[in-house]
Amino acid sequence: NEFLKSKNITAQSAPKGTLVEILQPGTGAAIDSGKYVTVHYTGKTMAGKVFDSSTDSLFGHAGQPYTLMIGGRGAIQGWDDGLRLFRKGGKGRLYIPSAMAYGKRGAQPDILPDENLIFDVEIVDVSDKRPEPKLPPAPPMPQTKPSKK
């Protein structure tokens, strides 16, 4: 709360305490327990150090968003809590207290014990069933050159 106040950021509290800055609420399907949510995200520490991103190939995700089932323990508790305030197409920022992220154990080397986190999120899809995994594109067919005779 102090961090948000010092930056003049308006956020609302999700049911379990994740603070959510809604930049765009979205207009599609609502997010609730049992729904599958596909999200593009960038995670960073309160100091601004990026530790993971679905849009940056540096982190090995090749631009693929992450899909989780709300209420299914597919992500840290702060995501499960904060994403419920959005709809499909929504964009915003989750300010997640340490206890709803990695707590006392942290996630070394980038996330220290008891570290609060920030996630920029974009809700790509909301569905009643798990989306089919996207297959990588097929390699192009080899082109053969006509032989000269």
Side-chain angles (χ1 to χ4, degrees):
N1 282 322
E2 290 173 25
F3 174 83
L4 297 179
K5 189 179 267 188
S6 74
K7 304 285 186 189
N8 202 24
I9 296 170
T10 302
Q12 55 188 303
S13 185
K16 295 182 181 175
T18 298
L19 296 172
V20 181
E21 179 184 11
I22 297 178
L23 304 174
Q24 182 178 318
T27 57
I31 297 173
D32 203 356
S33 292
K35 298 279 187 178
Y36 287 92
V37 180
T38 301
V39 181
H40 267 303
Y41 67 91
T42 296
K44 50 192 161 186
T45 65
M46 298 297 281
K49 178 181 173 41
V50 174
F51 58 82
D52 196 8
S53 178
S54 67
T55 60
D56 189 335
S57 60
L58 175 68
F59 296 100
H61 303 299
Q64 294 299 311
Y66 180 70
T67 299
L68 70 144
M69 184 177 78
I70 298 296
R73 297 181 180 249
I76 58 175
Q77 188 178 12
W79 267 41
D80 198 79
D81 184 41
L83 292 177
R84 294 171 188 258
L85 299 184
F86 293 95
R87 291 179 169 273
K88 180 179 177 178
K91 294 180 183 182
R93 198 164 285 130
L94 307 177
Y95 296 90
I96 302 177
S98 169
M100 295 181 71
Y102 297 96
K104 295 195 178 305
R105 73 183 185 279
Q108 297 292 335
D110 297 316
I111 302 170
L112 301 175
D114 297 317
E115 189 157 27
N116 300 322
L117 303 175
I118 301 170
F119 283 89
D120 293 323
V121 295
E122 177 182 354
I123 313 306
V124 176
D125 196 18
V126 178
S127 174
D128 289 328
K129 56 184 186 174
R130 179 174 285 286
E132 293 293 324
K134 290 190 168 93
L135 298 173
M141 295 296 291
Q143 299 294 316
T144 57
K145 294 182 181 180
S147 60
K148 294 181 181 180
K149 290 188 178 182

